[in-house]
Amino acid sequence: MSTSLLFLIVIALGIVGWFLGNWRARASVGGKTSALHSRPGYYGAYVLLWTTLPAVFLIIVWNVLSPIAVSSLVTAKLPENIQNGPEQARALTMSTVRMIENGLSKLSPEDLDKTADPATDVKALLMSKGAPLAVTPEPFAVDAARYQLTLKNSSQLLLTLSSIGLAALGLAFALFQVSPKLRSRNAVETVALAGLLGCSMVAILTTLGIVLSMLFESIHFFSIVPIQNFLFGTVWDPRFSSAGSGSGGGGEFGLLPLLWGTLYISIVALLVAVPVGLFSAVYMSEYASRGVRMTAKPLLEILAGIPTIVYGFFALITFGPLLRDLGAHVGLSISATSVLTAGLIMGVMLIPFVSSLSDDIINAVPQSLREGSYGLGATQSETIKRVILPAALPGIVGAILLAASRAIGETMIVVLAAGIAPNLTLNPFEPVTTITVKIVSQLTGDLEFNSPQTLVAFALGLTLFVFTLALNIYALYIVRKYREQYE
Amino acid sequence: MLNVQTNELQQGATKLGGALNPHKVAAKDVSVYYGEKRALFDVTVNIPDRGVMAFIGPSGCGKSTFLRCINRMNDTIPICRVTGKITIEDEDIYDPSLDVVQLRARVGMVFQKPNPFPKSIYENVAYGPRIHGLAGSKAELDHIVETSLQRAALWKEVKDRLNDPGTGLSGGQQQRLCIARAVAVSPEVILMDEPCSALDPIATAKVEELIDELKQNFCIIIVTHSMQQAARVSQRTAFFHLGVLVEEGATNDIFTNPNDQRTQDYITGRFG
């Protein structure tokens, strides 16, 4: 019986258990449900959990362990020379065995018996059943395949019996336990709690896994390239990794040009996004009439929904050339991909981010403060400047820091609009490159995963991660501090 | 009918008494609408200077709405519309040529919940004088802050920590800080919208004591839910019910010998 069908059966048993538990709980108190410790539904859920959970757990564990066991048993049956031979040869044989076994499973029992006879042309037989083989199988491989098929079939049969048996056992056990005194709600809620905990662990463990993998690959990288050369080097020239060289090929991996490019573009972006976003938030929350706010705010937030790649090619195709032509008119030589192009477009991308967060924060300033200020004869602009913005300042700073961490981690816009030249330059009209751009370019194309040219991507990723993490933590700290003030 | 008579009597008294007890604030046929809904019906009342006038009445009777007409705080509510006439010293405060900002400097307000700005104690009090340019120098500003805090009976408690945040004070201290903040701009009228409803009895007693002090220099109008408070602090009381000014007169008379049955019912606790 297939595993998915088995799941369905176990779940069906669980549903039956739900009804039985529910019914038995009601029956045990003669329909007077107020005499039960928990509501009848909890008794049903209690039986359902006891029926399904152990069986499902068994199925999952079995499916993980049984292929390992089967393959080691089959390997033991192979001729000595293959068992003790090189690993590649063993893997090759095992994959042939798997292919034959796959074909054998399509045969009828009589045909299967025929394959036991070494004289049978297994290849032709399988071909006639629509399972072509690439090689003419050796007899020991056919034997091994037959053995593997038998093992698999019996394993599956054993699993079917034991899991359905376990489900039935759980059902009976839980049903037997059902009594008015059973604290079924607490038991069910404990299981639910464990489920919730599991879900939150997924996110945490994933993050941890990513960080650890970056960390180990970075350590690997730093064993090839000294960390001080990476952190304080002013030249980024990784060269190409030549196969087999493995020694770094004399490339230079200085972080500073990339870091400078990242920060420079982010600063330009924030110079655009912060004033525009903040003033639009002030207008939206303090001056705009209801009608304007209802239409303008969603429109502004549409900006936040545009994929950054779209901003990117807008910058590349429209905005960059426009800027270049404008520059030519006034006698400035502006490169089509430059700090200015990427920074301005990224600034536009960040506007809704800053304005939406600041708007929420300004709205959270209590109305009583506005009234207090008006009551003293302050005008609206005095109230905004002297009471509302100072009160909202920590939150606004938090919003700006979050925007900054987005700017630093932003990839698509800079890939298309910033250029790829690792320049250490103050001139905003020249192309620069960023950490994210270099991660993309180091990991694109044919790769050798042991060369520093590739591994540097992990070190760059780790640097980026540390930067944005520090900014995010600081921003959250500030936002939280601000929240406490009004509670 | 009775209202009209009392008003006429008062006006007569004012004419006779002249400068001794002039009407500071006078309202005539004031009605307030929130959109289609009418919240206040033709309120006519005269409020004397240098004294405390209390507005009492059950929740939703319009007493706060009327109070907020006197410094045009209702202007901040877009759907709100006010008709009738309110004058302060014979100057129509709804006259289009009058700047509402100037009006609010003349009519201070203390709110139900203490609402100090998230600034230092000093900055809270200095806020109004700074905006209106009342102080020419730092020393002058210091002086205004000190006298305002003294008038609000808070100076002794905070004089050593003027730079601490105002939000760090206790509830009662915060409310007195808000009173000091209002006093600092030297208003002529101070409106208080249930100033003690968020305070404990001891803080309430202090604020009431303060109101008693302040009435020698200001015209104070207080909205209160507590009839005892009205009896303790006010010289005149007005009773509102369902948006109508039912009865207005000397506090003593209202509480001992009301003319209207509704007033009688309210002060004896039959509703409200």
Side-chain angles (χ1 to χ4, degrees):
Chain A
M1 203 174 289
S2 76
T3 306
S4 46
L5 187 61
L6 214 50
F7 267 121
L8 281 180
I9 290 175
V10 167
I11 287 166
L13 268 177
I15 291 169
V16 170
W18 191 87
F19 281 106
L20 283 177
N22 204 328
W23 164 79
R24 191 169 144 86
R26 282 174 194 279
S28 69
V29 287
K32 216 175 117 232
T33 50
S34 61
L36 291 170
H37 170 270
S38 315
R39 267 174 270 141
Y42 282 110
Y43 289 91
Y46 182 77
V47 178
L48 181 136
L49 288 174
W50 263 109
T51 313
T52 50
L53 283 189
V56 167
F57 185 69
L58 177 75
I59 295 174
I60 291 171
V61 171
W62 195 290
N63 274 304
V64 173
L65 295 184
S66 102
I68 300 173
V70 166
S71 116
S72 71
L73 280 174
V74 172
T75 313
K77 283 264 174 178
L78 292 177
E80 297 256 321
N81 62 336
I82 293 178
Q83 268 190 60
N84 301 329
E87 201 192 318
Q88 280 99 328
R90 201 163 59 238
L92 197 66
T93 317
M94 284 309 284
S95 98
T96 317
V97 168
R98 209 170 307 122
M99 256 182 325
I100 304 170
E101 181 239 313
N102 192 26
L104 292 181
S105 66
K106 295 196 172 99
L107 298 180
S108 60
E110 302 90 65
D111 287 340
L112 195 58
D113 286 340
K114 268 189 240 163
T115 58
D117 180 2
T120 318
D121 184 353
V122 178
K123 191 178 179 185
L125 184 65
L126 290 181
M127 183 66 110
S128 70
K129 298 291 174 195
L133 282 182
V135 292
T136 310
E138 293 158 78
F140 72 82
V142 178
D143 284 343
R146 255 210 334 282
Y147 180 53
Q148 181 162 333
L149 187 64
T150 334
L151 280 180
K152 273 196 175 170
N153 283 341
S154 46
S155 152
Q156 196 65 28
L157 183 69
L158 207 60
L159 173 62
T160 307
L161 291 179
S162 58
S163 61
I164 291 178
L166 194 60
L169 210 66
L171 195 156
F173 172 71
L175 208 55
F176 176 73
Q177 276 196 321
V178 169
S179 76
K181 284 215 171 123
L182 177 68
R183 294 160 63 82
S184 59
R185 181 178 65 82
N186 309 49
V188 170
E189 281 175 359
T190 309
V191 173
L193 212 62
L196 296 181
L197 182 72
C199 288
S200 50
M201 289 316 277
V202 169
I204 295 169
L205 290 179
T206 312
T207 313
L208 202 67
I210 291 174
V211 171
L212 285 182
S213 102
M214 276 201 302
L215 200 63
F216 286 125
E217 297 296 346
S218 301
I219 290 170
H220 189 173
F221 170 72
F222 290 132
S223 69
I224 305 171
V225 176
I227 188 162
Q228 64 271 19
N229 288 10
F230 173 70
L231 286 181
F232 306 114
T234 54
V235 177
W236 175 268
D237 181 18
R239 310 272 169 84
F240 291 105
S241 89
S242 45
S245 73
S247 61
E252 287 187 75
F253 301 90
L255 173 68
L256 290 182
L258 311 188
L259 192 62
W260 169 246
T262 305
L263 293 181
Y264 199 2
I265 290 177
S266 301
I267 288 166
V268 172
L270 289 176
L271 283 179
V272 176
V274 169
V276 177
L278 195 56
F279 292 146
S280 90
V282 166
Y283 174 74
M284 287 291 171
S285 60
E286 296 294 320
Y287 290 101
S289 68
R290 240 179 92 80
V292 173
R293 185 165 41 229
M294 296 287 264
T295 40
K297 226 191 147 186
L299 282 178
L300 196 69
E301 276 162 11
I302 285 178
L303 264 183
I306 298 177
T308 56
I309 182 81
V310 176
Y311 282 109
F313 62 67
F314 174 68
L316 180 70
I317 291 170
T318 314
F319 190 68
L322 179 78
L323 216 56
R324 184 192 55 205
D325 297 346
L326 276 180
H329 269 293
V330 295
L332 285 171
S333 98
I334 304 178
S335 167
T337 57
S338 66
V339 174
L340 206 58
T341 317
L344 291 179
I345 293 292
M346 197 194 284
V348 172
M349 181 202 86
L350 291 176
I351 288 171
F353 206 66
V354 174
S355 87
S356 177
L357 276 173
S358 306
D359 188 26
D360 291 346
I361 288 155
I362 291 173
N363 272 326
V365 173
Q367 186 62 23
S368 67
L369 288 186
R370 293 186 181 86
E371 294 202 327
S373 176
Y374 295 148
L376 289 168
T379 64
Q380 199 169 7
S381 85
E382 282 162 345
T383 303
I384 292 168
K385 275 183 294 198
R386 288 167 179 249
V387 175
I388 294 172
L389 287 183
L393 191 66
I396 290 171
V397 171
I400 292 170
L401 288 178
L402 285 179
S405 90
R406 274 206 63 175
I408 289 174
E410 170 52 37
T411 310
M412 286 331 294
I413 293 177
V414 285
V415 164
L416 291 175
I420 48 163
N423 285 331
L424 255 178
T425 175
L426 271 172
N427 184 352
F429 305 137
E430 278 180 30
V432 293
T433 195
T434 70
I435 296 179
T436 48
V437 169
K438 280 304 158 195
I439 292 179
V440 170
S441 66
Q442 292 308 111
L443 288 182
T444 321
D446 285 340
L447 300 172
E448 187 194 358
F449 259 93
N450 277 327
S451 71
Q453 280 78 4
T454 314
L455 288 173
V456 72
F458 291 97
L460 291 174
L462 193 67
T463 316
L464 208 55
F465 177 76
V466 169
F467 258 86
T468 49
L469 186 72
L471 270 178
N472 278 347
I473 289 176
Y474 187 56
L476 286 178
Y477 163 77
I478 282 183
V479 170
R480 191 164 308 151
K481 209 170 135 197
Y482 160 79
R483 290 241 170 83
E484 279 161 7
Q485 217 172 337
Y486 290 114
E487 270 164 13
Chain B
M1 186 64 190
L2 279 166
N3 281 343
V4 175
Q5 279 180 354
T6 4
N7 287 338
E8 276 171 359
L9 281 173
Q10 274 171 11
Q11 271 156 9
T14 313
K15 273 173 202 151
L16 288 174
L20 261 181
N21 196 9
H23 290 147
K24 188 75 183 174
V25 182
K28 193 158 177 8
D29 296 329
V30 174
S31 296
V32 176
Y33 302 81
Y34 289 114
E36 293 295 300
K37 192 173 165 287
R38 192 170 179 184
L40 214 56
F41 297 85
D42 300 327
V43 172
T44 299
V45 67
N46 292 312
I47 298 165
D49 199 1
R50 317 266 150 131
V52 180
M53 173 90 172
F55 293 167
I56 59 170
S59 297
C61 67
K63 54 192 191 302
S64 285
T65 301
F66 180 60
L67 189 76
R68 292 165 65 95
C69 290
I70 299 172
N71 67 345
R72 291 182 54 183
M73 212 55 166
N74 285 331
D75 290 13
T76 57
I77 303 167
I79 55 164
C80 182
R81 191 161 56 84
V82 180
T83 63
K85 189 174 177 185
I86 300 177
T87 57
I88 294 179
E89 297 209 315
D90 299 326
E91 200 180 336
D92 184 357
I93 63 166
Y94 280 89
D95 187 331
S97 67
L98 182 135
D99 186 1
V100 66
V101 168
Q102 295 303 324
L103 170 72
R104 289 187 190 139
R106 289 171 62 193
V107 184
M109 188 161 192
V110 177
F111 296 84
Q112 187 169 356
K113 236 182 105 192
N115 58 348
F117 301 132
K119 298 169 181 278
S120 70
I121 294 169
Y122 183 93
E123 286 299 323
N124 261 285
V125 182
Y127 183 79
R130 278 223 172 105
I131 282 178
H132 298 290
L134 297 183
S137 65
K138 172 81 172 120
E140 245 176 278
L141 192 60
D142 288 349
H143 180 69
I144 293 176
V145 169
E146 183 177 338
T147 42
S148 305
L149 284 169
Q150 268 166 350
R151 277 178 150 175
L154 193 61
W155 176 250
K156 278 192 197 133
E157 291 158 64
V158 302
K159 65 170 188 261
D160 297 325
R161 47 180 178 137
L162 289 175
N163 291 320
D164 288 6
T167 41
L169 296 172
S170 75
Q173 287 174 325
Q174 286 189 11
Q175 193 62 299
R176 278 181 284 147
L177 178 61
C178 293
I179 293 174
R181 192 172 69 183
V183 167
V185 278
S186 318
E188 298 158 38
V189 181
I190 300 179
L191 309 177
M192 298 189 175
D193 191 354
E194 298 183 38
C196 301
S197 65
L199 305 183
D200 64 66
I202 293 167
T204 301
K206 281 201 170 163
V207 171
E208 284 180 6
E209 211 175 296
L210 173 60
I211 293 171
D212 216 46
E213 292 271 317
L214 291 173
K215 75 163 191 267
Q216 296 170 13
N217 296 307
F218 303 98
C219 164
I220 295 174
I221 307 171
I222 177 169
V223 162
T224 175
H225 256 113
S226 153
M227 279 174 281
Q228 290 88 335
Q229 186 172 61
R232 282 195 299 266
V233 302
S234 71
Q235 286 75 55
R236 295 191 75 80
T237 297
F239 171 62
F240 285 78
H241 183 46
L242 299 174
V244 177
L245 176 66
V246 175
E247 193 171 350
E248 187 270 337
T251 301
N252 242 345
D253 295 342
I254 295 278
F255 279 98
T256 53
N257 190 18
N259 284 318
D260 195 286
Q261 185 61 37
R262 287 169 291 179
T263 319
Q264 173 85 31
D265 288 349
Y266 182 71
I267 61 173
T268 53
R270 240 165 264 167
F271 70 87

